[in-house]
Amino acid sequence: MHTELEAVQQQLQTLRRQIELYNYQYYVLNDPSVPDAEFDRLFRELQRIEQRYPHLIAPESPTQRIGATPVRAFAQVTHDTPMLSLSNAFDENEVKAFDRRISEGLAENPVEIEYAVEPKFDGLAVTLRYENGILKTGATRGDGYTGEDITHNLRTIKAIPLSLPVEKTPRLLEVRGEVLMLKADFIQLNKAQLQKGEKPFANPRNAAAGSLRQLDASITATRRLMFFAYGIAPNLDVLVPRDTHSAIMSYLAGLHFPVAHECTVVQGFSGLIAYYAEIAAQREQLPYDIDGVVYKVNALAQQEKLGFVARAPRFALAHKFPAQEAMTRLLGIDVQVGRTGALTPVARLEPVFVGGATVTNATLHNADEINRKDVRIGDTVIVRRAGDVIPEIVSVVLAQRPEETQPFVMPHHCPVCGARAVRLEGETVARCTGGLFCPAQRKQALLHFAARRAMDIEGLGEKLVNQLVDNAIVRTPADLYLLGIAALANLERMAEKSAGNILSAIEKSKQTTLARFIYALGIRNVGEATAKDLARYFGNLNRLMDSGMEALLQVRDIGPVVAQSIVDFFAEQHNREVIERLRASGVSWEENTGIAFEPVDNNAISGRTFVLTGTLPNMTREEAKAEIEKLGGKVVGSVSKKTDYVIAGNDPGSKYEKAVDLGITLLDENGFKKLLQSIAQC
Ligand code: IVH
């Protein structure tokens, strides 16, 4: 017969298993099966029973993730099996040499080698020691032989099992992997840091390191950390797979350790290179930072045969992405003038190779940013170039600041036309007040007019526009339509043929749409989406030009600021003249009566705002966008409270999380198609 105590023990065991399972579904699978309230209820139930029977509290109970007392210092841990490093490769030739060495080492030439391939996580290496299925020690890598005991901190990471969820456990299992902070959690943490008036962390890796280095685990517990397993210390237990690395990874996944979805198996050199390219393309969308990919010979027998060189295994290789951050010197700060007169400070740098390209300029955003980072000419700075993002200055290396540097002061006059620069209240940027008299603003206005999404004049790029304005050949967009072959062919680097091409592109642009034309005018605060709204609402340019605030405010999503910009623009005689001249040159579009004068249609898309994220399996974004716009909906780039629907494809970005946060309706491609069908049937 069961004693009462046995029954309680049984109940505790069931509760703990259930709670750990819910934890796993939530933190590892990202797929909770019960509402938070149900989880909380079970957790409180467990706490209640443990309080009644304190002697039954076990260290592996989910209530014991945060230890009671902070430690005074980290104890040293000697690794039974050293935590080695990886040899690096930075280009394909080095990968080819690696593959050749492997083939030769195994004397299996010309058979293709099978490799297990994984992301190279940009976090901190740790080892987790399970004795009879219970997490006993967690430690950092340290020098590879001796690390620090950070068990108390690692236990707070919910994705790390405190006990293995199986009946039969190996006597000893040492799981190795990387602790990191997901990009989304990093953004949240930095926001909170700034709100508290504390210093933000430079990157997710530093945030993870700072969180793990806490002597007080209750601080670590407030930081959302993640763990990914990438291997085990050699293990001869019969329960642990002994044939391949990929089998070990599946075994770990079965024990509820997080294993990245991107881990897979490929064949031969070509498989390695294809994997590198695939992961490089996904890099920005991955939820965590990586700094390359790792290749491992999959068969453990082959691994053993290959052995080790110095401190790295011969059977593995890290193929690194080009570094995204580098140090260089700030030679000067130029101030550029944008289309709306905004003055943007731009850093001129000693050329440096970073993120796969040589960088000589980086944005400094605005005066506040320069002050916040205290960037001074002559400083050594850290430059970051990630993907297609414009390079930026992350920070200054203060220890290398030369003597007698001066804080940077933004000019009070436009560096191009000399007009006064003013910074309006509530704005972060100062603006040149020269308007279209300022050659810089004029050039930008012309480039905007000719842009692909505006009048789409192919070939009218920066170099040509600079020459046209500097030689006073073109002052306004209307002048473009008066250009002749002679004027163009006289310009530098312009042969008769390319001049002819430009002229036909200009000619072709005459036939346009009202939305494109409105957008091309470059009215302050009128982007592509607003231009489309205006075109749809008014249907006709004269009506738009003559509308006052009241009429404009009727247009969906147009508030007083945008309405005022439109009124101001058309109040300028100069702008009306340019429009008149453009029309006289033959620029034209179809007009209609607009929806302001039609009954408003009432479908689920008309008047709604959509955001697209990720890759849709069967339609391009452009196609989805066209469908939405055809039905009177609007597609914008970022999620806000005003968004009605977010359509999420594969690998959605942070927009997806934001939509979840804000409780916005999420649709996948099927859901979107159903929505379209429901309207077609109306
Ligand atoms: S395997 C014996 N796999 O890279 C090889 N390491 O230089 C043991 N790292 O600090 C490492 N992602 O923490 C391996 N998928 C991955 C990895 C990975 C990141 C880190 C590891 C270590 C460094 C090795």
Side-chain angles (χ1 to χ4, degrees):
M1 211 183 83
H2 283 301
T3 62
E4 187 200 323
L5 208 58
E6 277 172 349
V8 174
Q9 248 163 344
Q10 187 58 46
Q11 195 187 359
L12 283 173
Q13 161 117 337
T14 313
L15 270 173
R16 286 171 186 161
R17 285 255 155 111
Q18 194 62 42
I19 289 171
E20 284 290 273
L21 179 67
Y22 289 156
N23 250 340
Y24 168 68
Q25 291 169 342
Y26 188 94
Y27 290 100
V28 180
L29 300 181
N30 265 326
D31 188 15
S33 66
V34 290
D36 290 359
E38 173 61 9
F39 178 88
D40 293 343
R41 191 186 66 75
L42 288 187
F43 197 85
R44 277 197 304 272
E45 171 81 358
L46 177 60
Q47 277 178 322
R48 194 181 56 81
I49 302 175
E50 287 181 345
Q51 262 164 22
R52 280 235 323 260
Y53 301 91
H55 60 291
L56 295 183
I57 299 179
E60 68 274 18
S61 170
T63 58
Q64 305 303 302
R65 282 196 175 265
I66 309 172
T69 41
V71 296
R72 241 176 285 132
F74 299 115
Q76 300 268 303
V77 177
T78 304
H79 303 305
D80 284 351
T81 313
M83 296 180 74
L84 301 176
S85 48
L86 290 167
S87 314
N88 290 323
F90 292 93
D91 62 40
E92 282 190 20
N93 286 336
E94 288 173 321
V95 177
K96 189 160 224 156
F98 163 76
D99 180 57
R100 198 177 308 124
R101 273 197 311 274
I102 303 275
S103 298
E104 286 168 5
L106 295 172
E108 286 192 5
N109 219 5
V111 177
E112 279 204 328
I113 306 294
E114 180 169 281
Y115 293 101
V117 291
E118 304 168 353
K120 186 167 189 309
F121 306 101
D122 196 5
L124 300 115
V126 298
T127 184
L128 304 168
R129 194 181 158 96
Y130 290 81
E131 289 169 19
N132 299 314
I134 307 289
L135 173 62
K136 289 286 177 197
T137 330
T140 62
R141 174 168 178 256
D143 63 4
Y145 299 95
T146 313
E148 285 177 327
D149 182 342
I150 52 162
T151 316
H152 63 300
N153 288 335
L154 292 170
R155 290 171 58 91
T156 68
I157 301 177
K158 305 263 185 29
I160 294 181
L162 294 180
S163 59
L164 304 180
V166 282
E167 286 308 322
K168 282 194 178 169
T169 55
R171 201 185 57 72
L172 186 71
L173 179 69
E174 217 177 302
V175 178
R176 295 191 163 168
E178 200 95 343
V179 168
L180 46 80
M181 189 175 282
L182 298 184
K183 292 177 191 170
D185 293 328
F186 167 71
I187 292 168
Q188 293 289 337
L189 172 65
N190 264 359
K191 241 191 244 166
Q193 290 288 104
L194 284 173
Q195 265 164 15
K196 282 191 287 185
E198 284 172 28
K199 227 179 124 196
F201 292 96
N203 53 47
R205 189 180 187 285
N206 286 5
S211 307
L212 270 193
R213 225 180 280 120
Q214 298 292 332
L215 293 170
D216 182 352
S218 64
I219 298 178
T220 314
T222 64
R223 310 272 172 81
R224 273 209 172 205
L225 293 175
M226 183 55 184
F227 170 79
F228 282 105
Y230 56 61
I232 59 169
N235 191 311
L236 293 178
D237 197 295
V238 285
L239 295 169
V240 181
R242 272 191 257 180
D243 45 355
T244 58
H245 176 76
S246 52
I248 292 177
M249 297 308 284
S250 306
Y251 174 66
L252 292 179
L255 294 179
H256 291 185
F257 288 96
V259 172
H261 300 301
E262 290 72 23
C263 296
T264 181
V265 170
V266 302
Q267 309 296 327
F269 170 70
S270 57
L272 299 179
I273 295 307
Y275 181 73
Y276 177 87
E278 185 188 325
I279 298 295
Q282 290 174 17
R283 185 180 186 184
E284 297 303 314
Q285 280 81 45
L286 287 180
Y288 47 81
D289 275 350
I290 58 174
D291 57 353
V293 290
V294 181
Y295 309 141
K296 299 170 182 173
V297 171
N298 198 23
L300 300 187
Q302 293 184 336
Q303 287 195 358
E304 204 167 320
K305 192 163 174 198
L306 289 160
F308 297 82
V309 254
R311 300 192 49 198
R314 264 203 204 92
F315 57 79
L317 183 75
H319 189 178
K320 301 279 280 277
F321 294 139
Q324 291 185 317
E325 288 186 5
M327 240 162 59
T328 187
R329 230 161 57 82
L330 177 63
L331 303 176
I333 298 178
D334 286 355
V335 176
Q336 283 183 351
V337 187
R339 177 168 62 83
T340 58
L343 302 187
T344 308
V346 176
R348 298 277 170 242
L349 305 167
E350 210 163 78
V352 61
F353 193 73
V354 56
T358 300
V359 167
T360 49
N361 303 322
T363 178
L364 284 163
H365 302 289
N366 55 53
D368 290 348
E369 274 288 300
I370 298 185
N371 289 339
R372 196 171 66 76
K373 295 177 178 158
D374 188 20
V375 180
R376 301 180 182 192
I377 295 169
D379 270 339
T380 297
V381 291
I382 296 185
V383 187
R384 181 173 172 81
R385 177 179 182 273
D388 295 332
V389 183
I390 301 171
E392 61 169 357
I393 297 213
V394 182
S395 57
V396 171
V397 184
L398 281 179
Q400 296 193 22
R401 170 166 285 173
E403 277 171 29
E404 293 179 17
T405 56
Q406 297 294 324
F408 180 74
V409 185
M410 281 291 277
H412 299 294
H413 290 89
C414 171
V416 176
C417 73
R420 246 166 17 92
V422 291
R423 181 171 165 180
L424 297 178
E425 228 181 273
E427 291 211 349
T428 45
V429 294
R431 288 178 200 277
C432 157
T433 51
L436 287 178
F437 295 102
C438 172
Q441 289 191 49
R442 219 180 298 144
K443 287 175 187 172
Q444 294 300 324
L446 284 165
L447 284 170
H448 174 81
F449 182 84
R452 197 167 56 80
R453 291 169 175 283
M455 299 298 279
D456 192 16
I457 308 180
E458 211 182 312
L460 194 68
E462 204 170 309
K463 289 205 176 92
L464 180 54
V465 166
N466 284 349
Q467 290 193 66
L468 291 173
V469 172
D470 293 341
N471 294 320
I473 301 170
V474 168
R475 285 181 61 85
T476 75
D479 299 335
L480 291 173
Y481 294 89
L482 304 178
L483 282 175
I485 198 103
L488 278 178
N490 265 341
L491 298 173
E492 256 174 60
R493 273 181 298 195
M494 179 66 73
E496 201 149 298
K497 176 146 188 291
S498 33
N501 289 343
I502 301 272
L503 286 186
S504 47
I506 294 177
E507 186 60 30
K508 198 168 131 213
S509 75
K510 284 183 179 172
Q511 195 53 50
T512 186
T513 64
L514 179 56
R516 276 177 177 271
F517 185 77
I518 296 171
Y519 175 59
L521 290 174
I523 306 169
R524 185 99 169 264
N525 300 314
V526 175
E528 211 188 345
T530 307
K532 283 182 179 160
D533 281 349
L534 290 168
R536 217 175 102 76
Y537 189 86
F538 292 100
N540 159 328
L541 187 66
N542 285 349
R543 238 181 338 247
L544 168 65
M545 285 169 69
D546 296 335
S547 62
M549 288 293 281
E550 202 178 320
L552 286 165
L553 287 170
Q554 297 302 310
V555 185
R556 136 165 76 102
D557 284 353
I558 290 195
V561 174
V562 180
Q564 190 63 56
S565 305
I566 298 169
V567 169
D568 290 350
F569 183 88
F570 291 116
E572 287 254 359
Q573 195 48 39
H574 160 82
N575 290 335
R576 286 182 174 260
E577 273 167 29
V578 170
I579 292 170
E580 229 18 79
R581 285 179 51 211
L582 284 166
R583 280 171 146 169
S585 318
V587 174
S588 66
W589 51 85
E590 265 181 37
E591 299 207 323
N592 58 44
T593 49
I595 59 159
F597 312 98
E598 280 169 13
V600 181
D601 48 351
N602 240 339
N603 69 45
I605 290 191
S606 166
R608 307 293 168 99
T609 305
F610 289 71
V611 172
L612 304 170
T613 177
T615 322
L616 296 176
N618 301 307
M619 59 181 2
T620 66
R621 274 173 184 242
E622 288 303 320
E623 284 164 356
K625 190 172 175 204
E627 290 283 357
I628 293 167
E629 287 173 352
K630 202 167 72 191
L631 292 161
K634 183 161 106 172
V635 178
V636 298
S638 59
V639 178
S640 74
K641 275 185 278 179
K642 289 189 187 157
T643 311
D644 294 298
Y645 294 98
V646 170
I647 301 177
N650 296 333
D651 298 321
S654 58
K655 292 173 193 170
Y656 179 88
E657 280 141 41
K658 188 145 186 218
V660 174
D661 272 358
L662 294 174
I664 288 160
T665 309
L666 276 158
L667 297 177
D668 60 7
E669 187 182 285
N670 272 339
F672 175 52
K673 285 196 169 146
K674 279 191 193 139
L675 186 72
L676 293 176
Q677 279 157 12
S678 71
I679 293 161
Q681 281 156 10
C682 278

